[in-house]
Amino acid sequence: MAASDRAAKFRAWLGLLGVLLAALIIAGVWRSRRTSVETPVVVEAQPPRKIVGEALKPQPRPSGYVGSEACATCHPAIAESYKGHSMYRSAGATPGTDDVENFAEGTEFKFDDGRIYQVEKRDDGIYHHEVLLDNEGEVLYDQAAKISFFIGSGTRGKSYAINRGGVLFQSPISWYTTDHKWDLSPGYGYRHKRFGRRIPYECVDCHSGRPTHDGDHDDYFPDPVLVEAAIGCERCHGPGREHVELHENAPAETDGLTKADDPIVSPSRLDPDRREAVCYQCHLIGKMRFPRYGRTSDDFRPGDRLDEVWAIMVAGTGVRGDQKTKAVSHVEQMRESKCFKSSEGRFGCTSCHDAHTTPAAGQADAYYRQRCLDCHAEKGCSLSAEKQAAAPANNSCIYCHMPKLAAHDVAHASQTDHRVLRAAPENEPNESGGEGDKLELFDQEHTVMPEWELERVLALSKVRKLQESNYASKSAAEELEQTLLMIADIAQDDARTWAALGNVADLRQDVAGARKYWLRALQLRPNDEIVLDSLVRVCQQQGDYQSALDYADRLIELNPNQARDYFSRALMLAQFGRLPEALADAERAVEIEPLDKKARRWLRDAYRQTGDLSSSRRHEDFLRRISALPQPPG
């Protein structure tokens, strides 16, 4: 055999050996992964069932708001008693006439990592500061923001909103009434967004009387942000213009009218699901909440069923084994109670709570005890009168049957257990409310939604869960995409469905498909910031930097407050050789987010390349001083 033939065979043998070794290594790694990491079970995709239906646009909602002052003209006694209610103090100007905060003392608190938080009262308003010191005690930065209004009755505390051109952000500083001190806002830990946590419309809607709503731009508030600051009469009774006109303009014609003829809504006269919806509109958040097709978060009116406007996905009571629970889960808890289940709809929120007044100081136990006796007069507490009166219960029904629970998502707060248990268990398993629980539509057995809309909501919730886990098996994603396409065929103008299609395609790394779907969503809602942000990213992935830059321009025009948007655009501008603009954007990014190390490193290097050594050293010095801190804040 020729030497060349032997060499060729030897090379072929080595190649085969290499393939075998690689296969063995891969098999070994695969076995190792299977034994050390649980792999997701891939279920074969089932042929999607046919979804049919007709998308009918709902009628516009009635307006005709007049404000609570108009109501007080004819109902002065109720208006006066309502001033003591926490809802009357739900939001407002700060400083105000009845501040519970201490603006004179204790207005500064510190952390070991060099952060200092300060509350400053100036002639033109309240300012909140975050200051960071280096190891020498020198100021690295001092970010200050003027507070626009407070949110919260002050019973437990207050948080604060910052208005930046119609885009609202939460301050990292809150007042805690129980502890009588300033501290970090709920949900802010060691790493937080400083003055960059966006406040969505739904939060302002439930914590204020009537915010200004822009149906074409989510979470944007045209002036005036709050038409009515505190929660007022019309939140529970509906727009009052027709009612006022009926009684003011033609009083003689009202003599023979019954209450049922009056256009104002009286919740007590509604059937149970519509009566409870008045409270549920804000006290039932669930795990996910979607406006129905053709609806917005501003569309609910007293007298509506809840599912005429929203689809709310829930997962149990939210009560955990360590006796902690979400701060807003009253409804799910109450509906688990025997009181609710045995009442055939009679028991509800107002069985215990008066919407017009609250018990006077020191009278809450007696007030709620009487509420309990309204139903349990014949068969009351099984304990003797002596034991009921003994400390620590002191004749308080709620002390034993509705104990306080620590709220795991709001610091310094507690919440009453609305399950009204016969006896609160010392340790209860986490059987419901966990993050992995299956989501279900609230009150699904009684929903008025047509089948295709129910499919839409279930699909949207599945997409949200997949996004949260950042994983989707190919078969599950493809099946979900087919379902959404059928829904999009029924409701071709539903931007939420097209955006969800883009999200599914993105999860399975179909960049071209994601872009196609998101473009359709953007055509329907040109001011959708989330879709614009997604398009910036996929255009960059495709190398279409001009389109990415165009979308970035639109995004920043809508919301010029995001550091990452400026830095992303700076990198693209630099690619196009527009360095002065890129430097300006990157500087704006670190102005908004001083600890953006990536942006500062880029600025350091970019200035060095342009010969601006002074600016380069400025950012280099900042990075050095940050890295020297014992625990650099995130």
Side-chain angles (χ1 to χ4, degrees), residues 183-253:
D183 206 341
L184 287 178
S185 297
Y188 281 74
Y190 176 68
R191 296 180 180 273
H192 62 82
K193 293 185 177 181
R194 297 178 180 81
F195 296 98
R197 179 193 274 181
R198 186 84 171 263
I199 302 179
Y201 177 83
E202 287 78 5
C203 292
V204 183
D205 187 38
C206 280
H207 284 281
S208 68
R210 185 157 53 94
T212 304
H213 182 252
D214 186 333
D216 296 323
H217 186 181
D218 289 340
D219 306 330
Y220 173 74
F221 302 83
D223 283 332
V225 174
L226 299 180
V227 177
E228 186 169 13
I231 296 170
C233 308
E234 291 166 301
R235 175 54 63 90
C236 299
H237 296 282
R241 180 181 299 161
E242 291 184 10
H243 169 77
V244 171
E245 290 176 350
L246 176 68
H247 290 274
E248 284 189 350
N249 298 338
E253 299 176 11

Side-chain angles (χ1 to χ4, degrees), residues 116-162:
I116 300 175
Y117 293 91
Q118 300 169 339
V119 178
E120 180 187 12
K121 188 174 184 180
R122 302 181 189 172
D123 291 340
D124 65 334
I126 302 297
Y127 288 78
H128 286 184
H129 294 255
E130 181 184 271
V131 184
L132 182 64
L133 304 181
D134 65 12
N135 284 338
E136 304 301 322
E138 298 294 326
V139 174
L140 277 163
Y141 65 80
D142 180 352
Q143 280 192 315
K146 184 179 180 181
I147 300 304
S148 299
F149 57 91
F150 73 81
I151 296 174
S153 67
T155 304
R156 294 177 182 173
K158 289 183 177 182
S159 290
Y160 302 88
I162 302 156

Side-chain angles (χ1 to χ4, degrees), residues 206 280 282-289 312-313 328 332:
C206 280
Y280 291 2
C282 287
H283 290 276
L284 176 62
I285 303 301
K287 295 289 185 182
M288 300 178 190
R289 185 168 175 153
I312 301 176
M313 307 300 290
V328 185
E332 293 104 316

Side-chain angles (χ1 to χ4, degrees), residues 73-93:
T73 303
C74 295
H75 305 280
I78 292 176
E80 186 63 29
S81 69
Y82 184 64
K83 289 181 180 179
H85 203 289
S86 58
M87 289 192 293
Y88 181 79
R89 306 186 305 274
S90 60

